[in-house]
Amino acid sequence: MGPIDALPRPLAVAIHDAGAANMIAAWAEAAASPPERVHAEGPARAIWSERFGTEAFVQGDALLDGAATLLSGTGWASDIEHEARRNAAERGIRSVAVIDNWVNYRPRFERGGATRLPDQIWVGDAYARAIAEEVFSDIPVTQHDNLYLAQQAAAAGPVPDDGDVLFVAEPARSDWVRDRPGEFQALDHFMANRAAAGIGEHVPLRLRPHPSDPAGKYDDWLAQHANATLDRSSDMAAALAGARWVAGLHSVALVIALEAGRDAISSLPPWAPPCVLPHEGIRRL
């Protein structure tokens, strides 16, 4: 019996960003019966459709009609989850929110100066639970196994002895006062210092763009590095399969890599803000 099975039904789901969408979709797949209605936009729409083979999504206020519980993500890229929690509160519907990361907990529930907290918070590991319990001392916080992370790590298989480097990119959203996007600074810092991590110059590198990156963003950088290619794997498990090392900024992919037994490295340069991931096994370059 999974965590979703214990929620009062009918169950409504509102998701947008990939992190919580992946966690909720994995829990839904493991449940005795799927949620009765789902509203998914952005990356979550493709995630849900691929896992369940359906695009029968409920729109607008109909999502909560007759619902007993709302299960929502807590992403940044949209207001749909926040609005669903607000509507649930107005209707007296119990609200459970999933936090999939380890930063900016309270702002996840704020839009336009208004805060709408859920009745309960779900997290996927002990690090997140400790943070959430400190930030939200008056809201029950429950830790459930992150099935998505476990599935991706298991599907990656054993660490290959002759594996390459997988660099998982993400927008830094800052140039750290150096007139160059931070993600490219992190890439350059890795290439200049990877010997310190025991990685030889001959080891190939695959660069996996972030889902939000525009096509061609890294083409010029790749053209300047003969031993680097673009990773075109279908999912993170497939991308990890050929990797011995996984580098990035502070992507959740580093946590998956760590779970999969790979050497996970944050290549944020010394002048950048420190890596926010609290996991002790992630090395700082």
Side-chain angles (χ1 to χ4, degrees):
M1 185 174 181
I4 283 182
D5 291 310
L7 294 176
R9 298 297 187 105
L11 172 63
V13 170
I15 44 177
H16 184 281
D17 289 14
N22 277 316
M23 292 175 68
I24 292 172
W27 286 328
E29 189 174 57
S33 59
E36 282 76 10
R37 57 202 70 160
V38 177
H39 178 59
E41 293 183 10
R45 194 177 186 92
I47 289 168
W48 199 272
S49 296
E50 181 177 352
R51 191 176 279 259
F52 296 102
T54 179
E55 292 193 2
F57 299 113
V58 179
Q59 302 299 320
D61 291 342
L63 175 69
L64 295 175
D65 288 346
T69 309
L70 168 69
L71 181 62
S72 63
T74 53
W76 290 93
S78 168
D79 293 340
I80 70 162
E81 297 156 334
H82 179 83
E83 286 302 308
R85 284 189 291 273
R86 183 182 63 80
N87 290 337
E90 291 177 353
R91 297 192 191 195
I93 297 170
R94 182 169 182 77
S95 175
V96 180
V98 176
I99 298 180
D100 59 282
N101 211 297
W102 301 271
V103 294
N104 301 321
Y105 278 22
R106 189 164 287 278
R108 292 170 180 270
F109 301 100
E110 299 171 352
R111 293 292 189 281
T115 299
R116 174 54 64 192
L117 297 174
D119 298 299
Q120 186 175 8
I121 290 172
W122 285 5
V123 297
D125 65 29
Y127 295 106
R129 187 185 70 230
I131 298 170
E133 287 177 342
E134 180 177 355
V135 174
F136 305 107
S137 58
D138 54 344
I139 298 177
V141 177
T142 304
Q143 178 183 336
H144 295 295
D145 290 340
N146 189 333
L147 298 184
Y148 168 74
L149 186 151
Q151 290 167 356
Q152 292 290 299
V159 182
D161 292 335
D162 59 347
D164 59 10
V165 176
L166 176 68
F167 193 100
V168 286
E170 62 181 301
R173 298 185 175 88
S174 175
D175 65 1
W176 305 319
V177 199
R178 295 199 172 216
D179 198 30
R180 179 167 169 78
E183 55 266 38
F184 287 95
Q185 295 182 50
L187 265 169
D188 293 340
H189 181 67
F190 175 79
M191 297 301 285
N193 297 279
R194 60 183 183 169
I199 305 171
E201 293 184 3
H202 66 284
V203 177
L205 179 143
R206 283 177 293 123
L207 194 159
R208 184 173 179 83
H210 190 269
S212 67
D213 285 330
K217 175 177 177 177
Y218 296 99
D219 286 356
D220 289 345
W221 189 92
L222 290 168
Q224 298 169 23
H225 297 82
N227 217 18
T229 58
L230 194 68
D231 177 73
R232 302 182 185 277
S233 304
S234 58
D235 59 19
M236 186 54 60
L240 286 172
R244 181 176 173 186
W245 299 271
V246 180
L249 285 71
H250 26 222
S251 168
V252 175
L254 293 178
V255 180
I256 300 175
L258 192 65
E259 183 75 10
R262 271 62 179 176
D263 194 347
I265 304 164
S266 173
S267 67
L268 285 162
W271 55 88
C275 177
V276 300
L277 298 174
H279 305 73
E280 294 178 0
I282 296 175
R283 299 166 62 190
R284 273 58 172 174
L285 185 61

